[in-house]
Amino acid sequence: MAGRYKSDLKWSDVTPKGDYMNRRQLMAGAGALALGSIAGPAMASLGAKKTSYGRGLELNSFEDITSYNNFYEFGTGKDDPARNARGLTTDPWSIQVDGLVDRPGNYDLGDLTKGITLEERIYRFRCVEAWSMVVPWVGFELADLLARVGVQPSAKYVAFETLVRPEEMVGQRRPTLDWPYREGLTISEAMHPLTIMATGLYDEPMPNQNGAPIRLVVPWKYGFKSIKSIVRITLADKRPPISWQMANGREYGFFSNVNPTVDHPRWSQATERRIGGGLFAKRVPTLMFNGYEKEVAGLYAGMDLTVNF
Ligand code: MTE
């Protein structure tokens, strides 16, 4: 059952049993699993601190979240990342932090995040393509990481880059996008408590296809802002170029806040298809700022959201 989420349960308890069994069988080797071991030891658990974010939302299954992905570095099909990202080396991993910071450097991921408490955040996730999911992310506030490196007062934007490694990222052997994948936020968006760096989901380390070992999650923006497998963070005083705007600036803006009243030039953004609902599931209305209006509308006070889309 993909029912209501109880915070003390593991993904295996809340994932539809068919999905769960499939995955366990993959992990354990076909046939090696007896029914009785369902309650047995779970996958490597991160032990993330439970929070009230998203409590009451109906979660997508682990299977949904890890088999229907956008990660063009591994191909443009929804099932390409799950298949092609398996061989990505995510350890060791370092992040170059540069620009307008007090302590720039090439940081080992473990050092950069040492001592940071991981939290579970259940967020709605809305892709610009008009599908959506609900994901139990594990991570920490980007603001905590930025505090560690010391943001200088002149910094107005944060830019992010994904790894470039065509030997392991087959999609990068073609110029689908101008690699590396790039994203950016204003400093106030980056500092907002809803903005997290995620290192896992369902209390497990981040699956490769979802952006291992560390990605951004900005829940009030279209999914493409949530850049995966980050290797560089730059503090800047000018707005950085971002991949989808570079590729097609008429269709994709810098802000890309979820907004049911501003349509994509080629489709409506008024409703969305919830993944996992089946082929004939009714579309659900898209919420302003993806349901986080109360928390984030103030960031855009006085802005014309049809111009600043
Ligand atoms: N990050 C990188 N590096 N490459 C990508 O192709 N796709 C984006 C975003 N981050 C993408 C990326 C898009 S379009 C979406 S909808 C989300 O990742 C999908 O995240 P998910 O696969 O975890 O659902």
Side-chain angles (χ1 to χ4, degrees):
M1 49 108 205
R4 305 224 161 234
Y5 185 59
K6 291 266 178 41
S7 63
D8 55 347
L9 297 181
K10 306 229 165 294
W11 69 264
S12 45
D13 298 313
V14 294
T15 301
K17 195 158 137 207
D19 298 341
Y20 170 60
M21 290 297 288
N22 287 341
R23 188 168 143 78
R24 282 303 293 246
Q25 277 161 2
L26 281 178
M27 311 268 309
L33 188 76
L35 214 66
S37 62
I38 284 179
M43 314 287 118
S45 163
L46 293 171
K49 188 172 137 243
K50 303 298 172 186
T51 65
S52 57
Y53 291 91
R55 191 60 59 77
L57 291 176
E58 196 167 314
L59 288 182
N60 276 92
S61 69
F62 186 90
E63 196 69 18
D64 288 342
I65 297 167
T66 58
S67 63
Y68 189 92
N69 299 100
N70 276 334
F71 200 168
Y72 277 23
E73 284 84 341
F74 295 103
T76 54
K78 295 291 184 259
D79 55 352
D80 286 337
R83 193 175 40 249
N84 296 334
R86 278 188 202 135
L88 179 68
T89 309
T90 57
D91 186 13
W93 194 270
S94 54
I95 299 184
Q96 183 186 333
V97 182
D98 55 15
L100 303 169
V101 288
D102 296 334
R103 290 172 288 284
N106 196 27
Y107 291 91
D108 173 72
L109 178 60
D111 293 340
L112 191 61
T113 57
K114 193 176 278 161
I116 286 186
T117 304
L118 293 179
E119 287 187 1
E120 183 177 76
R121 301 276 187 106
I122 296 169
Y123 283 163
R124 293 179 206 86
F125 189 84
R126 169 60 157 83
C127 179
V128 73
E129 297 163 337
W131 54 264
S132 64
M133 299 201 200
V134 173
V135 184
W137 301 110
V138 172
F140 54 88
E141 291 179 15
L142 173 58
D144 291 342
L145 189 151
L146 294 177
R148 289 193 166 194
V149 295
V151 175
Q152 296 181 350
S154 53
K156 306 252 176 321
Y157 294 92
V158 188
F160 304 86
E161 285 181 17
T162 295
L163 177 70
V164 178
R165 192 184 286 156
E167 315 86 84
E168 291 185 351
M169 302 174 116
V170 293
Q172 284 182 338
R173 296 174 198 166
R174 277 176 277 130
T176 331
L177 288 170
D178 182 6
W179 315 111
Y181 194 99
R182 279 166 259 210
E183 258 307 331
L185 298 172
T186 66
I187 206 75
S188 55
E189 292 171 335
M191 292 295 191
H192 194 280
L194 284 175
T195 303
I196 60 168
M197 296 293 274
T199 57
L201 56 86
Y202 267 112
D203 209 31
E204 291 184 29
M206 190 65 78
N208 287 355
Q209 61 267 42
N210 295 90
I214 186 162
R215 71 176 294 175
L216 184 70
V217 178
V218 193
W220 71 93
K221 292 179 177 285
Y222 291 122
F224 72 81
K225 298 292 293 181
S226 292
I227 180 174
K228 298 176 168 183
S229 304
I230 293 167
V231 292
R232 185 173 181 197
I233 300 176
T234 307
L235 280 292
D237 56 2
K238 295 199 177 53
R239 191 181 285 186
I242 65 162
S243 288
W244 279 104
Q245 196 178 23
M246 288 161 68
N248 190 341
R250 203 178 72 84
E251 298 192 353
Y252 306 103
F254 179 81
F255 288 97
S256 285
N257 294 312
V258 176
N259 188 336
T261 70
V262 176
D263 286 338
H264 186 279
R266 290 181 283 133
W267 58 83
S268 163
Q269 295 291 25
T271 64
E272 62 202 53
R273 177 173 64 95
R274 185 57 58 81
I275 299 300
L279 215 52
F280 305 104
K282 247 181 69 195
R283 298 177 71 88
V284 295
T286 288
L287 303 172
M288 188 65 202
F289 293 112
N290 204 23
Y292 302 98
E293 184 169 16
K294 195 159 62 66
E295 292 92 330
V296 303
L299 295 175
Y300 311 100
M303 251 193 201
D304 182 343
L305 298 177
T306 60
V307 177
N308 296 287
F309 64 94

